[in-house]
Amino acid sequence: MLNHDFPDKWPGFIEQVGQYVQQTSNHAAVYGGLLALEEVIGVFQWRPKSERRPLNYIVKNIFPYLLQIGTDLTAHDNVEAAQMLKVIAKTYHSSIASTASKAHQEPAALSGWLTLMLTVVTKTIPASAYGEHVADEEDMAAHPWWKAKKWAARAVTKWFTRYGNHKSETFVHGGGSSSRSKASAKADRAFADHFMATYAPQITRTFLSITEQSIQTGAFVAPRVHFILAQFYANAVSHKDTWAILRPFAQQLVQHVVHPALCMTAADFELWEDEPVEFVNRKVDPLDDYKSPASGASILLMSLATQRRKATFEGIVQFVHETMLAYNANPTEQTAVAKEGALHMLSHLAEHCLASDSPVRDQMEAFLVSFVFPDFASPLKYLRARAMSTVTAFSEIEWAQPEHAITAFQAALALLQDPELPIRIHAALALKPMMLNDHVRHQMPPHVPAIMKTLLELQNQIDMDTLASVMEEMVETFSSEVAPFAVELARHLCNTFVRIMNEAAESLNDQYNPNEDDDDQHDLDYFDSATDKTMAAMGVLKTLQTLVLSVQDSREIVLQLELEMLVPLEYVLAHQVIDLYADVFELVDTCTFALKAISPTMWGLFAKLHSVCNTDAADYISDMTSALDNYISYGKVEFASNPQLQQAIVDMIDVCLTSSDLGEADRVSGCTLIESMLLHLRGSVDHLVPHFLARAFALLLSNQIKTTHFLVAATEVGINALYYDPVLTLRIMEEHQWTGPFFAAWMQAVPKMSRVHDKKLGIIALCSLFRVPAAQLPPVVQTGLPQLLVALSTYLSTLPKAFENRKEQEAFFEGEELTPEEAAAFNLNAREVDDNAADDDEELVDGDDADAAEGADDGWEDDDNELLTLAHEGRVAGGDDDDDESSYDDDEELPEELYFESPLDDIDPYIAFASVFTEIQASNPALYHGLTAGASADAQKAIMEAMQKATENQAKAHAAAAAAAAAVDAAVARA
């Protein structure tokens, strides 16, 4: 109701709530008013500043009453006071979640609220306040007082991290380049400096006092508050003022906060025994243990070791080493638990221990062999598990003695058979990084069948996407070992998939009872099971995809795999599991690509793809495009003769190009499908050309395109149509008065067509156009022939650079080493973000393209040129008279589509150009004259170089053909 009616239809709501809050003698009325305020603040907490006036009014006029009420309540110990304070603290936190208003920042108000929040956090709760029904620490943590403390601590931490500490990742920046934004950023920084000087020291010392009391007396602190305190310390480490306060306590924080939180607890041991699956979910998947004390400790540890490395790193490592020695000297249960926690700490720091400048890098192999390897056979199950997870964490170590890597692998094989599920999981996860080690990888092949069997068994015991990733890596690395039982493996994976999805559906059918404290983990548990299962199912689909690619050389096996995989594919489409649509479409793409044909199984699936595209899969059309392109290219015979198939693709194209719910990425997909139809079905879809042009030009000529990618894609619909049938296309363009605007748009888009395919298409389409007799060309095209030659010369002269760029990208993605010059050209070095750098809106265009395009633009911008006039009229009609051609949101060079295949791949653009140019010179002199009259020196040079390149390529082709013929003759003679 508040979302829809407040404030416009419910203007008196705030005044009514304010009246309830002020009835201090009526606690029920006050509590009701507080709950109402919590709701309205929740409605506005994420609204932009322009929509936060009601919230700002509340902060200025109602919050003072809340502050007074909260201050009075701190003197009481009863549950009612705790519940009201919890609502007040939560409401206050919500009000500053995204923006702190001037009323928030007013010194008296801020000081009063911080004092209240710190008073709540530090308030001692007498045992009597818990009542008779609080049996253990879990009950205590759920008590209203600890919920009030949690929200109070969160509010204080929010002030520090978002508005006080400018070095925090969550610090709010004014940002932007306008003077108002710069002034806002300056004001934010000024407030932050004031906050750090005035409030941060007191907050830091107060929080430290809570931690110190807990360490010295064992006083209970709820797990969520533990997490918030650790989170605060982690942020405070980064600022010099708060670090000065924390530094004397840094080692104590490591030993008494971080280490205990990362040790196994009694609750952990109980969970391992009673629910090993849940134990793995919480301890192996960090997202399932988010906001726990262990998670907070990990954050604090990383902050200390990385941001204050000189002051803390060696001390942390020394503590770990001493803990190892203590266990070796006296292996008791206490020292064993301490060792497990210390190794847990070290695992978080593995990357830093192995860094090139690490003081302990050269000692880590000896450390692992001495202190970790022995625990592979430990009688204590948690030490066996931690030993394997530690080796996994240090997987990037460069073993000086290869036998140590092999020892770790043999231990993983043995622990795969351990009776304890968590240990088997750790052993399975260790295998993936081990495959990167050459010595280990050479030892693996004989064990692959047994490993895969164990992985499948584990997948059926616990739903983890990380297990699927191990199987995927195994299949990819050992394809020849997997091939003999690929079909059986696929069958097991598909059965596992269906089981997972059925269980996910059942879990979502359970009744959902939301928890009133919406930040608690309880509220997320309802969705966690289904989410975990969906992620696991996603991993299965990716493994199936890798399996297909690993056996793609065997057509028979791929066909059998398709039959097995039809079950999960149809399941997802029939049950409309939208979270898995992208993976299903990618799997269809992989199958059709592997066969280079459309099997009966995949034809049976096509109708279902069409059906879901017209329903709930429209948002995923871009994920489906590659698979649909395969259907067209590898099933072109069927498409050429089947109007129903053609219409199905047209339907999906229309969805892409007309749906108001889709964006420009989806529009590109529609243009891609049009291109596929025109390239693969030449002569079979004449009746569709008018429809395709109408759909694309409605967007291209509206001047509403925002991205370079869509501009190029929409323009190339017209270019593809000219290549498909220039006479037909020109006639359609003339009938609809599209000719002039399209050619003008094309010429302006030439410098943005940076990919190899773009340039080849432009060359081939222009060659096709030049074969049309000059008399049959529309007058506007005849007038623009010199500019078309400039565009052609641009394509030809910049094509070599495009080939070079694609080669570099292919080398990069295939993991090949590039020369320093190639790496520099490809910009492989990561750059640190510079927040102070000025925004750079300049267009990134290759120099050759830009220079050549300048000549093309000069031609089209002649005042007497009819094409420019028509294009200008089209822009004005579309409501945009801005001639700035750098008006796109992403004026950058388009990346190559490395795995894109088309009929143009087999065409040599230089030979095609030379053939047409020679032909028109002899048979179409009028057109030749129109093209070459007044050609610039650059254009003439590009033409001559292209002709020479064509001669060279023809000679190479003839030589290759002769060599192939000779090889055949020699083979026949030997036979």
Side-chain angles (χ1 to χ4, degrees), residues 435-494:
M435 290 181 230
L436 300 176
N437 183 284
D438 292 339
H439 301 283
V440 172
R441 190 167 59 252
H442 293 152
Q443 298 281 324
M444 279 191 173
H447 305 284
V448 169
I451 291 173
M452 292 301 296
K453 180 182 177 182
T454 302
L455 292 175
L456 285 170
E457 292 172 352
L458 288 173
Q459 188 76 67
N460 283 321
Q461 290 179 274
I462 185 170
D463 301 319
M464 291 180 64
D465 59 308
T466 45
L467 277 179
S469 72
V470 177
M471 284 191 283
E472 182 180 353
E473 188 72 23
M474 188 74 66
V475 168
E476 183 175 353
T477 306
F478 303 104
S479 57
S480 59
E481 287 77 14
V482 170
F485 60 96
V487 177
E488 179 185 359
L489 175 59
R491 186 177 301 118
H492 282 293
L493 288 170
C494 292

Side-chain angles (χ1 to χ4, degrees), residues 953-973:
N953 288 358
Q954 284 177 324
K956 291 178 182 178
H958 290 321
V968 172
D969 291 341
V972 171

Side-chain angles (χ1 to χ4, degrees), residues 551-748:
V551 298
Q552 62 182 322
D553 293 335
S554 174
R555 176 181 176 83
E556 181 180 348
I557 295 179
V558 174
L559 288 171
Q560 294 180 63
L561 292 179
E562 284 188 347
L563 285 172
E564 298 294 340
M565 293 185 295
L566 188 61
V567 173
L569 293 175
E570 290 185 333
Y571 184 102
V572 171
L573 298 178
H575 291 80
Q576 299 180 335
V577 187
I578 60 175
D579 291 337
L580 298 179
Y581 275 171
D583 299 280
V584 162
F585 301 150
E586 189 172 2
L587 185 52
V588 174
D589 174 30
T590 301
C591 290
T592 51
F593 180 81
L595 286 177
K596 298 292 190 294
I598 309 300
S599 67
T601 302
M602 289 295 110
W603 276 125
L605 196 67
F606 180 77
K608 295 180 174 64
L609 294 174
H610 177 221
S611 176
V612 297
C613 181
N614 291 326
T615 54
D616 61 337
D619 292 340
Y620 299 85
I621 190 70
S622 59
D623 297 309
M624 195 190 299
T625 303
S626 185
L628 295 176
D629 177 65
N630 286 351
Y631 271 102
I632 298 168
S633 59
Y634 303 133
K636 56 188 174 185
V637 174
E638 290 82 358
F639 269 95
S641 60
N642 190 327
Q644 286 76 28
L645 290 177
Q646 295 175 13
Q647 187 57 49
I649 296 294
V650 171
D651 292 343
M652 290 184 267
I653 289 170
D654 287 348
V655 169
C656 291
L657 296 181
T658 63
S659 174
S660 59
D661 296 328
L662 301 182
E664 292 203 350
D666 305 293
R667 307 283 191 240
V668 171
S669 296
C671 295
T672 299
L673 292 176
I674 292 176
E675 177 176 63
S676 186
M677 294 278 280
L678 293 175
L679 286 176
H680 292 286
L681 304 177
R682 290 169 61 81
S684 300
V685 290
D686 290 16
H687 60 292
L688 295 177
V689 175
H691 183 76
F692 290 158
L693 293 177
R695 286 287 187 234
F697 288 0
L699 299 166
L700 175 64
L701 305 182
S702 68
N703 208 47
Q704 299 300 310
I705 292 178
K706 297 179 180 179
T707 61
T708 299
H709 198 182
F710 183 31
L711 170 71
V712 170
T715 305
E716 288 184 350
V717 169
I719 301 174
N720 271 290
L722 286 170
Y723 172 53
Y724 175 89
D725 188 330
V727 175
L728 171 64
T729 300
L730 289 172
R731 176 171 58 78
I732 296 169
M733 288 184 179
E734 283 291 279
E735 290 174 356
H736 294 84
Q737 299 182 346
W738 291 331
T739 312
F742 166 70
F743 275 89
W746 181 3
M747 296 304 101
Q748 291 185 349

